[in-house]
């Protein structure tokens, strides 16, 4: 009996103490050593495959584990292309048609079962070095008819000798027949393991920028295709071939991701969480030693403390935890409770945080929070589907809508003034914007809009498209979320000035993109973030041959514009090319296939333990440069894991 | 010798309806709730006429203002009066509540009466139908229907054009999903009534099944219909608020659910008025309908009077 009392007392004491012990170890981060960066993603990651990456969220995630030949310098502005997996800038032939690119040697892929077991036995799985043939395969995959490579293909179509013919050939193959990757492409060659030669059909001055689209043209080892996409587990530790008809040609699972980047993807739970760990075999890469100098309104990178880590090996952070949080409010609360290191500012709280002079208020500075402000080359617009019978038929209707839309108030009310009015289809920081000047209809003028709407009624009446003498109700698609409820109300107020009825349709982000691609849409709110610092990136959005490639989403067709585009796409930077840019921008401003609304200004808040924060306007994959002062974070009570 | 007043009183004979009306009139709480419902109904009918075309309304210079004499319930992010939004929200909620019951009640009564009266395979079918429907969570079914109605317009271009993506879709979806409770009650009541003498008498006079059902049984189910109307109204208002909160409700008009959705971020910066107004308006009408429905059931169902 005595033992019973002793044992029962011990058991109860253990049960009481256990939660305390567990909670204590969880809080101290035991079991998860290293510095962890806590971040949020709020839109679905559409793609884990570099070839199918075409949206900002996927690029932001992918750029941490995939790398391309070139990238942009982290600190320098204006942006500057620098080598990443290439060992130097490409050698371009005198006629501008042949690019010879040498690769860095000794770049290792992340260890993965597709390379077999590690023969040395020190690691679970083997790896191998990146070779030029891997880039050949990645370019072939981008051209593969059976892989949905909208954006990646749009930049290469008609550009590389034999690649379009290769794409046609892949159509003949069944989706799961990967022997199509053995067909040679005339314009892509790997004369040795570390040299890649690309032959273009015509000069393409922006080609270097295309190669710098960080992860889109990242190398893919053939082993991924042969192991992950062609075989599956037999349940006994071996592999069995997947029947050809059942194979999926796209990388879609976490274990299929094999990159060279600073982080290895360890967890991928769609719309839940993404985790990455430092790649222990990452190549020798260092924090930049040079930065942006002082300029009007900016003290320069050195004075801003952005060169304190110059020359140090990256990455600094050991683990990245992305948590999926759709609601801005929830993200904000996570930031305030120091569970997230960096955040944007919700519209509702903006006035409480930012002064009228667009600086952080003193009370927030006292919380050891800092502000980063950047203007990115992004334009948000309302695009019209030019294949829609009503909007496509009536230029006057599109012009009237553009004139009646009070974009300045939209920026002021819905974005707290975080942006400037976009007055043509090229960002204000790009050459060509100022030269082309503001579009005649991209201004707020209700009287002019009312005159235009009468013309529109005549055009639509002539086409037999009026319903009971009125313009039919227009459908306006946008993303969902509480802010877009206000956006919808605001848009209705604008359209009501012209007596137009508007039906707003809310979609999640992938659905909206799918509807746009499938042309199941009349009018929609979206934006375009520059892929490279040249107006051509925005002008290609209106080239008719890019309708099928998925970038001309307004389905605009204009033979005059097309011939101008075909002229500029091979021209080097020159006054003649600028003159053509101006003509093209003005053509769009006249035809109004879309209505530019604003160029956003980003306000990012971060705790003082976050170091080396500088937003890049175009590139991705800069988390490797961020450093966390773990002591300060601990002292301030920030979440450490 | 004194006689008591009571023993001298002449017994008064009143019908079910007159008796129920008298009981309700004597019930102060019921009358207060009824007055609230009438006020809401008047607002619902009058507000679209008074406030005209809402889609154009805005005042960007008076955004997010707290309650004042000019704006008794403050203004929203686009400078619109929250009071007006509450009034127009009442129009949406009351319309949805009414119209969904207009669809659900006849459906429930018809199917319940058919099943209860004819029995056998017809009853089997009705029971299967409502059991199947009841096995699907109501709000999920509503959301699914709203998605299915996303681009549906019935009878386009005609006088009867019905755009199911808007408010019509909300009350059609609600009507199609909320008849089960009425159907169950009506079916059980019909099974009881069809065995009573007055039905036998009608049958003896040679009246057909349908005539007996519609002339003798259905009129005796009206008290169930009325009670279910009041209870269904509450459910419909609640469902409309949820659908609007999820962006699946009405377009072009304010609704309480939309107001709550739009204003939920306002609370953290101290702008309480829009959310409070929408939640308060919903609370008052739901409470009024609940109490009134409860008293109505007491008045119409003699068995419950002494419970």
């Amino acid at each position: 009996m005595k033992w019973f009392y002793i044992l029962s007392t011990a058991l109860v004491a253990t049960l009481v103490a256990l939660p305390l012990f567990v909670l204590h170890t969880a809080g101290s981060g035991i079991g998860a050593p290293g510095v962890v960066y806590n971040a949020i993603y709020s839109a679905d990651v559409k793609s884990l495959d570099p070839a199918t990456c075409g949206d900002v969220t996927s690029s932001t995630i992918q750029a941490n584990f995939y790398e391309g030949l070139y990238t942009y310098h982290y600190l320098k502005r204006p942006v500057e292309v620098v080598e990443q997996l290439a060992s130097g800038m490409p050698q371009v032939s005198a006629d501008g048609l042949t690019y010879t690119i040498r690769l860095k040697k000794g770049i290792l892929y992340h260890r993965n079962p597709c390379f077999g077991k590690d023969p040395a036995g020190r690691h679970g799985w083997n790896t191998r070095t990146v070779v030029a043939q891997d880039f050949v395969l990645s370019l072939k995959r981008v051209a593969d008819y059976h892989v949905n490579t909208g954006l990646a293909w749009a930049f290469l179509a008609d550009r590389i000798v034999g690649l379009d013919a290769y794409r046609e050939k892949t159509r003949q193959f069944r989706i799961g027949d990967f022997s199509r990757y053995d067909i040679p492409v005339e314009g892509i060659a790997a004369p040795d393991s570390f040299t890649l030669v690309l032959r273009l059909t015509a000069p393409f001055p922006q080609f270097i920028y295309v190669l710098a689209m960080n992860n889109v043209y990242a190398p893919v080892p053939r082993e991924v295709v042969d192991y992950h996409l062609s075989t599956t587990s037999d349940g006994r530790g071996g592999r069995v071939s997947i029947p050809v008809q059942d194979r999926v040609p796209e990388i879609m699972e976490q274990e299929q991701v094999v990159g060279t980047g600073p982080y290895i993807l360890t967890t991928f739970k769609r719309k839940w969480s993404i985790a990455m760990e430092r790649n222990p075999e990452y190549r020798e890469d260092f924090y930049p030693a040079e930065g942006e100098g002082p300029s009007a309104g900016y003290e320069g990178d050195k004075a801003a403390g952005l060169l304190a880590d110059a020359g140090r090996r990256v990455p600094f952070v050991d683990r990245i935890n992305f948590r999926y949080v759709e609601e801005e409010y929830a993200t904000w609360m996570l930031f305030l409770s120091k569970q997230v290191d960096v955040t944007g500012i919700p519209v509702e709280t903006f006035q409480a945080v930012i002064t009228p002079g667009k600086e952080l208020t003193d009370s927030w500075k006292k919380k050891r929070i800092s502000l980063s402000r950047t203007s990115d080359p992004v334009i948000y617009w309302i695009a019209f589907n030019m294949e829609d019978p009503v909007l496509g038929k009536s230029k006057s209707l599109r012009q009237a809508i553009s004139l009646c839309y009070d974009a300045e108030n939209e920026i002021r009310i819905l974005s707290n003034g975080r942006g400037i009015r976009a007055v043509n289809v090229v960002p204000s920081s790009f050459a060509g914007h100022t030269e082309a000047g503001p579009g005649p209809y991209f201004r707020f003028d209700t009287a002019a809009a009312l005159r235009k709407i009468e013309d529109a009624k005549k055009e639509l009446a002539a086409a037999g498209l009026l319903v009971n003498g009125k313009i039919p109700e227009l459908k306006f698609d946008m993303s969902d979320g509480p802010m877009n409820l206000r956006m919808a109300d605001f848009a209705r107020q604008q359209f009501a000035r012209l007596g137009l009825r508007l039906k707003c349709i809310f979609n999640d982000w992938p659905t909206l993109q799918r509807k746009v691609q499938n042309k199941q849409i009349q009018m929609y709110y979206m934006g375009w973030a520059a892929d490279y610092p040249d107006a051509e990136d925005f002008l290609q959005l209106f080239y008719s041959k890019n309708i099928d490639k998925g970038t001309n989403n307004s389905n605009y067709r204009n033979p005059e514009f097309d011939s101008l585009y075909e002229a500029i796409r091979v021209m080097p930077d020159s006054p003649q090319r600028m003159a053509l840019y101006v003509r093209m921008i003005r053509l769009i401003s006249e035809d109004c296939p879309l209505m530019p609304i604003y160029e956003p200004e980003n306000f990012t808040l971060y705790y003082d333990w976050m170091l080396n924060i500088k937003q890049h306007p175009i590139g991705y994959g800069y988390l490797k440069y961020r450093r966390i002062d773990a002591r300060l974070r601990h002292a301030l009570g920030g979440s450490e894991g | 010798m004194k006689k008591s007043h009571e023993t001298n009183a002449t017994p008064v004979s009143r019908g079910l309806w007159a008796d129920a009306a008298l009981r309700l009139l004597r019930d102060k709480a019921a009358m207060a709730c009824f007055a609230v419902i009438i006020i809401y109904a008047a607002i619902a009918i009058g507000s679209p006429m008074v406030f005209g075309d809402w889609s154009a309304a805005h005042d960007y210079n008076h955004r997010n203002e707290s309650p004042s004499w000019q704006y008794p319930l403050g203004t929203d992010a686009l400078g619109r009066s929250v009071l007006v939004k509450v009034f127009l929200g009442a129009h949406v909620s009351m319309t949805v509540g009414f119209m969904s019951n207009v669809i659900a009640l006849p459906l429930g009564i018809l199917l319940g009466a058919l099943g209860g009266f004819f029995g056998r395979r017809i009853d089997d079918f009705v029971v299967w139908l409502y059991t199947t429907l009841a096995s699907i969570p109501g709000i999920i079914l509503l959301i699914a229907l709203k998605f299915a109605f996303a681009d549906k317009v019935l009878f386009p271009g005609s006088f009867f054009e019905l755009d199911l993506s808007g408010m019509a879709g909300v009350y059609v979806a609600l009507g199609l999903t909320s008849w089960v409770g009425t159907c169950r009650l009506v079916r059980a009541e019909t099974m009881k009534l069809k065995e009573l003498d007055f039905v036998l008498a009608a049958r003896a006079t040679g009246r057909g099944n349908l005539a007996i059902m519609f002339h003798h049984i259905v009129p005796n189910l009206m008290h169930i219909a009325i009670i279910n109307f009041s209870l269904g109204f509450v459910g419909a208002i609640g469902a409309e608020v949820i659908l609007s909160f999820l962006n699946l409700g009405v377009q072009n008009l304010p609704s309480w659910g939309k107001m709550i959705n739009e204003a939920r971020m306002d609370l953290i910066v101290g702008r309480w008025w829009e959310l409070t107004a929408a939640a308060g308006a919903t609370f008052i009408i739901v409470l009024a309908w609940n109490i009134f429905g409860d008293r109505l059931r007491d008045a119409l169902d003699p068995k419950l009077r002494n419970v």
Side-chain angles (χ1 to χ4, degrees):
Chain A
M1 207 59 186
K2 183 180 153 193
W3 280 109
F4 170 77
Y5 287 118
I6 292 170
L7 278 174
S8 57
T9 308
L11 184 68
V12 169
T14 308
L15 288 173
V16 168
L18 196 63
L20 297 173
F21 176 74
V22 170
L23 287 174
H24 173 72
T25 53
S28 64
I30 289 171
V35 179
V36 181
Y37 172 57
N38 299 303
I40 294 291
Y41 67 111
S42 56
D44 192 10
V45 177
K46 276 177 61 190
S47 158
L48 280 181
D49 191 326
T52 60
C53 181
D55 62 295
V56 171
T57 308
S58 300
S59 299
T60 305
I61 299 296
Q62 283 196 19
N64 297 298
F65 41 82
Y66 291 127
E67 294 178 309
L69 289 164
Y70 298 95
T71 186
Y72 292 93
H73 192 282
Y74 179 44
L75 299 175
K76 286 185 181 175
R77 304 289 183 276
V79 295
E80 183 183 309
V81 174
V82 292
E83 64 268 16
Q84 189 160 239
L85 296 184
S87 64
M89 297 309 279
Q91 291 172 2
V92 185
S93 62
D95 58 3
L97 294 179
T98 305
Y99 280 63
T100 305
I101 301 162
R102 312 248 178 244
L103 305 186
K104 283 178 181 161
K105 292 178 180 169
I107 305 287
L108 290 175
Y109 281 111
H110 301 160
R111 290 184 181 273
N112 190 277
C114 71
F115 298 119
K117 289 197 172 161
D118 179 19
R122 282 184 296 147
H123 305 277
W125 304 111
N126 204 359
T127 179
R128 72 163 170 84
T129 54
V130 175
V131 291
Q133 285 80 2
D134 300 334
F135 286 95
V136 175
L137 175 62
S138 79
L139 292 170
K140 283 180 182 173
R141 290 188 75 244
V142 166
D144 187 346
Y145 176 79
H146 299 294
V147 181
N148 183 21
T149 57
L151 182 79
W153 173 240
F155 290 111
L156 290 189
D158 304 329
R159 298 290 193 182
I160 294 181
V161 176
L163 198 58
D164 291 73
Y166 171 80
R167 183 176 172 84
E168 278 309 303
K169 283 181 197 161
T170 62
R171 289 180 75 153
Q172 319 300 325
F173 285 75
R174 287 190 291 169
I175 291 177
D177 183 355
F178 299 128
S179 64
R180 59 182 177 269
Y181 296 143
D182 299 327
I183 304 171
V185 177
E186 195 185 340
I188 304 174
D192 62 60
S193 292
F194 299 102
T195 306
L196 179 69
V197 179
L198 303 173
R199 277 203 299 122
L200 305 185
T201 53
F204 182 15
Q206 293 86 9
F207 193 51
I208 188 66
Y209 298 133
V210 172
L211 295 175
M213 288 172 67
N214 196 47
N215 41 289
V216 177
Y217 305 108
V220 175
R222 179 66 194 235
E223 290 89 336
V224 167
V225 175
D226 293 340
Y227 182 87
H228 287 301
L229 304 184
S230 306
T231 66
T232 187
S233 168
D234 63 1
R236 298 187 299 273
R239 305 287 291 183
V240 287
S241 178
I242 304 171
V244 171
Q245 67 272 16
D246 296 336
R247 291 179 187 171
V248 176
E250 195 177 331
I251 295 166
M252 301 181 91
E253 307 293 336
Q254 173 254 322
E255 58 271 16
Q256 298 171 349
V257 171
V258 183
T260 60
Y263 293 97
I264 299 170
L265 182 68
T266 53
T267 307
F268 181 75
K269 294 177 182 169
R270 196 175 288 276
K271 286 195 165 188
W272 184 253
S273 72
I274 296 170
M276 299 172 208
E277 286 186 9
R278 176 209 284 268
N279 175 8
E281 294 169 303
Y282 188 55
R283 63 194 161 86
E284 283 198 336
D285 192 15
F286 302 96
Y287 192 90
E290 294 174 68
E292 184 182 357
S295 59
Y298 182 56
E299 57 192 336
D301 287 343
K302 190 164 188 182
L306 286 166
L307 289 175
D309 286 318
R312 288 185 64 189
R313 192 166 176 186
V314 294
F316 296 119
V317 171
D318 296 303
R319 208 146 48 92
I320 302 173
N321 282 342
F322 282 102
R323 201 184 310 187
Y324 181 75
V325 181
E326 209 170 336
E327 294 282 338
E328 224 180 2
Y329 174 71
T331 304
W332 182 246
M333 295 313 289
L334 285 169
F335 179 73
L336 292 187
S337 60
K338 299 175 182 172
Q339 295 181 64
V340 170
D341 299 315
V342 177
T343 186
I345 309 173
V347 170
E348 284 79 1
T349 54
F350 189 80
Q351 280 181 319
V353 179
I354 304 295
T355 65
K358 295 192 172 177
E359 297 296 333
L360 196 63
T361 58
D362 288 340
S363 60
W364 285 81
K365 283 179 189 164
K366 282 179 191 159
K367 294 179 184 178
R368 305 296 299 269
I369 290 171
S370 298
L371 170 70
S372 163
R373 270 172 58 193
T374 50
S375 295
D376 294 345
V378 176
I379 299 183
Y380 286 103
W381 48 48
I382 293 176
F384 306 117
N385 178 2
M386 296 292 285
E387 292 185 7
D388 176 73
V390 176
L391 285 168
K393 277 278 185 312
S394 176
K395 183 159 86 174
S396 297
L397 178 59
R398 300 191 301 272
Q399 292 170 341
I401 291 170
S402 301
L403 282 164
C404 83
Y405 200 90
D406 189 354
E408 280 85 359
N409 262 325
E410 188 201 303
I411 299 164
R412 185 170 71 90
I413 293 164
L414 301 179
S415 305
N416 311 108
R418 282 180 274 189
I420 55 168
R421 165 90 214 226
V423 293
N424 64 41
V425 294
V426 169
S428 54
S429 56
F430 282 17
H433 172 93
T434 309
E435 291 82 350
Y441 305 104
F442 304 146
R443 62 193 165 88
F444 181 51
D445 185 343
T446 309
L450 287 169
R451 286 194 297 275
K452 273 286 169 196
I453 201 73
E454 293 308 315
D455 296 342
K457 282 179 184 166
K458 285 175 198 158
E459 286 170 8
L460 292 171
L465 290 168
L466 293 183
V467 177
N468 301 325
K470 290 182 178 173
I471 295 171
E473 182 182 63
L474 299 172
K475 289 178 185 161
F476 183 26
D477 279 75
M478 60 181 77
S479 307
D480 48 15
M483 273 316 295
N484 282 328
L485 271 179
R486 277 186 195 153
M487 173 70 218
D489 281 349
F490 183 86
R492 280 191 204 103
Q493 289 161 5
Q494 312 309 306
F495 282 65
R497 288 198 187 95
L498 300 176
L500 295 173
R501 288 172 302 136
L502 191 66
K503 181 172 169 182
C504 296
I505 300 162
F506 301 98
N507 308 272
D508 60 44
W509 176 234
T511 305
L512 181 63
Q513 285 190 307
R514 195 184 63 242
K515 284 170 85 172
V516 169
Q517 292 289 335
N518 296 339
K519 305 178 186 179
Q520 299 165 320
I521 215 157
Q522 192 174 30
M523 193 165 60
Y524 61 95
Y525 201 106
M526 215 180 251
W528 185 260
D531 298 295
Y532 45 82
D534 192 311
E536 187 268 344
D537 183 38
F538 283 78
L539 295 173
Q540 58 88 20
L541 301 174
F542 306 98
Y543 180 48
S544 66
K545 286 187 180 171
N546 283 349
I547 293 176
D548 295 335
K549 290 166 197 156
T551 57
N552 180 349
N553 292 143
S554 55
N555 306 309
Y556 177 70
R557 290 173 201 271
N558 182 338
E560 186 187 354
F561 185 93
D562 285 354
S563 64
L564 289 171
Y565 181 76
E566 280 158 12
I568 60 113
R569 72 199 297 244
V570 296
M571 288 172 75
D573 190 8
S574 61
Q576 290 77 18
R577 190 180 74 167
M578 181 54 63
L580 297 186
Y581 274 11
V582 168
R583 274 180 67 189
M584 294 167 78
I585 295 168
R586 287 181 181 162
L587 268 178
I588 299 298
S589 295
E590 173 63 25
D591 284 348
C592 300
L594 50 76
M595 166 177 47
I597 306 224
Y598 76 109
E599 296 178 42
E601 186 179 8
N602 288 327
F603 285 68
T604 305
L605 294 184
Y606 57 94
Y607 283 100
D608 287 350
W609 61 70
M610 288 301 304
L611 304 169
N612 305 333
I613 296 265
K614 184 169 181 177
Q615 309 290 337
H616 199 280
I618 292 174
Y620 298 94
Y622 301 110
L623 289 186
K624 65 183 176 185
Y625 296 121
R626 290 190 180 176
R627 189 160 66 81
I628 291 174
D629 184 340
R631 278 190 191 167
L632 181 63
R633 178 158 75 177
H634 184 76
L636 294 177
S639 172
E640 292 166 33
Chain B
M1 198 172 157
K2 285 185 178 177
K3 282 186 178 175
S4 74
H5 175 71
E6 286 77 16
T7 51
N8 239 358
T10 310
V12 178
S13 172
R14 287 191 296 266
L16 174 73
W17 300 105
D19 184 57
L22 192 66
R23 283 175 182 278
L24 279 174
L25 282 170
R26 285 179 186 158
D27 186 336
K28 286 179 187 168
M31 282 299 99
C33 292
F34 188 62
V36 169
I37 292 165
I38 294 296
I39 291 167
Y40 267 71
I43 291 170
I45 294 165
S47 53
M49 293 181 246
V50 174
F51 301 113
D53 183 11
W54 172 256
S55 58
H58 65 267
D59 182 353
Y60 300 146
N61 295 320
H62 290 91
R63 298 184 301 118
N64 293 321
E65 287 188 0
S66 56
S68 62
W69 286 111
Q70 190 184 356
Y71 297 109
L73 291 178
T75 62
D76 71 358
L78 297 174
R80 299 171 296 189
S81 165
V82 172
L83 182 66
V84 175
K85 287 179 86 171
V86 169
F87 284 174
L88 288 166
H91 167 71
V92 169
S93 286
M94 298 295 276
T95 307
V96 167
F98 181 79
M99 291 302 295
S100 60
N101 271 296
V102 163
I103 295 168
L105 272 183
L107 207 57
I109 291 171
L110 181 70
L111 289 171
L114 283 171
F117 189 80
F118 289 105
R120 292 169 176 263
R121 293 207 169 168
I122 293 176
D123 191 37
D124 288 347
F125 172 73
V126 170
V127 171
W128 169 81
L129 191 64
Y130 74 61
T131 311
T132 306
L133 201 63
S135 67
I136 305 168
I139 196 70
I140 302 290
L141 188 61
L142 262 181
I143 291 170
L145 277 174
K146 273 301 292 173
F147 274 119
F149 290 165
D151 283 321
K152 292 276 182 303
V153 179
L154 296 180
F155 319 115
S158 74
F159 178 75
F160 300 103
E161 181 176 308
L162 202 61
D163 181 2
L164 293 179
S165 65
M167 183 148 67
V170 177
Y171 57 70
V172 168
L174 277 167
L176 292 176
T177 55
S178 58
W179 53 268
V180 171
T182 308
C183 180
R184 278 185 172 142
L185 287 171
V186 165
R187 176 175 166 271
E189 190 71 10
T190 305
M191 285 171 142
K192 189 180 80 182
L193 289 176
K194 76 175 183 182
E195 303 298 334
L196 296 184
D197 290 348
F198 70 94
V199 175
L200 193 64
R203 217 178 271 287
T205 60
R207 305 210 70 177
N209 281 336
L210 287 177
I212 291 170
M213 199 173 86
F214 286 111
H215 289 163
H216 298 281
I217 291 182
V218 171
N220 281 295
L221 299 170
M222 279 304 115
H223 65 291
I224 293 177
I226 289 170
I227 293 163
N228 273 278
F229 182 86
S230 69
L231 297 176
F233 216 105
V234 175
I237 289 173
E240 188 279 322
V241 168
I242 292 169
L243 283 179
S244 296
F245 183 82
L246 297 172
N247 269 358
L248 294 168
V250 295
Q251 291 235 348
N252 300 324
L253 275 175
S255 93
W256 297 333
K258 262 168 78 177
M259 287 171 72
I260 292 169
N261 192 357
E262 284 175 353
R264 67 195 148 131
M265 280 288 283
D266 285 354
L267 276 187
I268 55 171
V269 286
R271 291 198 292 265
W272 50 268
W273 42 93
E274 185 167 8
L275 198 126
T276 309
T282 311
F283 171 74
I284 292 168
I285 187 65
V286 167
L287 184 69
W289 268 115
N290 269 330
I291 294 174
F292 184 71
D294 200 38
R295 301 302 166 95
L296 193 66
R297 191 185 55 191
D298 290 354
L300 285 171
D301 193 341
K303 283 180 287 186
L304 292 171
R305 280 178 197 159
N306 297 321
V307 176

